[in-house]
Amino acid sequence: MRRFFQSIRKATWTLFCLASLALILAFVTALPLLQLITLGYLLAVAGHLASGGQLKGALPNLNAAGVCGAAFLALAIASAPTRLLAHWESVAAVIDPGSPNATRLRIGAIALSAFLTVYLGWAWVRGGRLKHYLWPQPKRFFKEAWRPSTWSRFADQVWEFLRDLRIPALFWMGIRGAFLTLVWLVPAFVIMGVTRQGDNAADGVLGVVALIALAFVLLYLPMLQTHFAAQNNWRAMFQWRQVRSDFRYAPWAWAGAMLVGLVLMPIPLYLLKIEATPQEITWLPCLVFVAFMLPARIAEGLALRRCRRRRAEAESGEWVPSVWAGRWWFVSRWAVRLVVMPAIVGFYMLVLLGSQFTSWDGVETWVRQHALLVPVPFVGV
């Protein structure tokens, strides 16, 4: 029973951390320029898995997101009675200006606000976990709260907490990932220009050539992004031959990841791009975009990790396929290469072609692809 309740507690905390992480990334995604942090985070998740990391530790700052989520939730709950008293005070002042009831309510709101501020601050000093909010440890409070060392230690803990988030590193990863991805999306820029200004046969031919080139780029670009994040080197974004050779060792895993990353996860999101939402609630569709694209990045990282593990086993002699396994491997490679992957990319291109007529962005949807760049509906890179 004890292990059972511990498992329930851990599962509940993990789910809460995941929800908090999605909300935080959604808020960040809704902020221009800072949204590159979200792209950097998604690339870091895929790169961690592709470099051999375990799925358990694939989400950086997951526990920190839970701590921040608990802090915001506690702040929202604690501020509710203060806001209620302030509202009653304003109503009493309107009904009977200068009445003693309004004065008492105002004093009560100020006193309650001061008490809850100290209460929450003391909970954050002790770590900000659920048990710290439920029980304030009054004896410890009167022993340590008045000491300057307690608050200086808390300041050091906050600094270490912020440093461990690695926000500058994630932002730098997002900047490089976005820029290098846009380099590969040059055919999309050509298509966008031809669609806007093309009025002769030469523009049509150029558009068809750019369309074919973009389809070829999409065969490798998601895995190139994952490879870049794993190597953390801008040259890795252009090592398409190495990524192509990795494909040979786990073609079905590759195809499954591309199906998730280009079809199952991003295509339903185009429904949210039909009409722009008000600026005040931009984070709501961003929450859906983040919740959909995070599993896509995880799938791409897992697929590339499997490809490289099989490749290392084959090169070291640990994995030697039998005759029938070798034949199935050969058939799988060419079936995925000639049928499955063209079908996946072709379907994605078809949806992308139609989205320029339904999306709020118009023809700019060729470049603002949330499957490859920032998962945001309208304000993107």
Side-chain angles (χ1 to χ4, degrees):
M1 291 297 293
R2 187 177 183 179
R3 292 180 180 177
F4 173 75
F5 284 113
Q6 286 180 350
S7 301
I8 294 297
R9 180 178 59 83
K10 290 182 180 179
T12 304
W13 174 249
T14 301
L15 292 176
F16 180 79
C17 290
L18 288 172
S20 301
L21 177 64
L23 284 170
I24 292 172
L25 290 178
F27 278 112
V28 173
T29 304
L31 301 176
L33 190 61
L34 292 181
Q35 59 194 208
L36 291 171
I37 297 175
T38 301
L39 177 61
Y41 186 90
L42 297 179
L43 292 176
V45 169
H48 171 81
L49 293 172
S51 59
Q54 297 297 319
L55 183 60
K56 183 179 180 180
L59 298 177
N61 305 327
L62 180 61
N63 188 67
V67 173
C68 292
F72 284 116
L73 181 61
L75 189 61
I77 294 174
S79 62
T82 304
R83 292 198 304 266
L84 183 61
L85 287 177
H87 172 69
W88 287 347
E89 185 270 334
S90 62
V91 172
V94 171
I95 296 175
D96 187 9
S99 66
N101 290 330
T103 303
R104 283 194 290 268
L105 287 171
R106 186 183 308 110
I107 294 174
I110 295 173
L112 181 60
S113 177
F115 171 76
L116 292 176
T117 300
V118 175
Y119 189 95
L120 292 179
W122 178 239
W124 294 334
V125 166
R126 290 177 294 140
R129 303 300 294 265
L130 179 60
K131 60 182 180 181
H132 300 142
Y133 293 108
L134 297 179
W135 178 243
Q137 293 182 322
K139 291 183 179 181
R140 183 181 172 185
F141 174 78
F142 289 110
K143 287 181 180 179
E144 300 180 7
W146 57 273
R147 297 176 181 175
S149 59
T150 300
W151 301 98
S152 63
R153 185 169 62 252
F154 174 63
D156 294 337
Q157 292 173 353
V158 171
W159 171 250
E160 292 177 1
F161 178 82
L162 295 176
R163 185 187 60 189
D164 293 340
L165 295 179
R166 299 177 59 247
I167 293 178
L170 295 176
F171 184 68
W172 179 234
M173 174 74 75
I175 290 178
R176 290 180 297 160
F179 176 76
L180 296 172
T181 301
L182 290 174
V183 172
W184 278 105
L185 290 180
V186 169
F189 285 101
V190 175
I191 295 172
M192 189 171 65
V194 169
T195 305
R196 281 179 172 175
Q197 302 177 359
D199 55 358
N200 52 56
D203 290 337
V205 172
L206 182 61
V208 171
V209 172
L211 199 66
I212 296 173
L214 180 61
F216 179 80
V217 166
L218 291 175
L219 288 173
Y220 301 101
L221 185 53
M223 293 302 180
L224 280 172
Q225 289 181 318
T226 305
H227 176 57
F228 154 74
Q231 299 295 322
N232 197 16
N233 189 339
W234 68 271
R235 294 183 180 87
M237 187 66 91
F238 303 100
Q239 295 174 350
W240 69 275
R241 293 182 183 275
Q242 179 177 345
V243 173
R244 184 184 181 188
S245 64
D246 291 332
F247 157 81
R248 299 175 59 250
Y249 293 91
W252 290 111
W254 182 297
M258 295 293 285
L259 179 65
V260 173
L262 289 182
V263 177
L264 298 182
M265 293 293 107
I267 286 181
L269 299 178
Y270 280 101
L271 297 175
L272 295 177
K273 301 181 70 172
I274 294 177
E275 186 175 356
T277 55
Q279 189 69 26
E280 295 79 9
I281 58 171
T282 303
W283 65 274
L284 280 176
C286 289
L287 177 61
V288 181
F289 273 67
V290 170
F292 271 67
M293 293 314 303
L294 183 57
R297 295 296 184 177
I298 291 176
E300 291 163 2
L302 290 174
L304 194 57
R305 184 184 71 178
R306 177 169 176 79
C307 292
R308 292 182 173 173
R309 283 184 177 178
R310 294 291 295 270
R311 179 175 184 172
E313 293 173 357
E315 292 177 351
S316 63
E318 297 179 10
W319 177 64
V320 180
S322 62
V323 176
W324 287 105
R327 291 177 180 176
W328 170 248
W329 186 27
F330 176 81
V331 172
S332 297
R333 290 201 312 268
W334 286 102
V336 172
R337 184 174 291 166
L338 298 179
V339 179
V340 179
M341 287 302 299
I344 292 173
V345 174
F347 185 73
Y348 177 76
M349 293 283 291
L350 184 63
V351 173
L352 197 62
L353 180 65
S355 68
Q356 66 180 334
F357 304 107
T358 61
S359 175
W360 187 266
D361 296 329
V363 295
E364 294 180 6
T365 190
W366 286 103
V367 176
R368 296 181 179 179
Q369 299 184 37
H370 49 268
L372 303 172
L373 290 168
V374 181
V376 64
F378 309 110
V379 184
V381 178

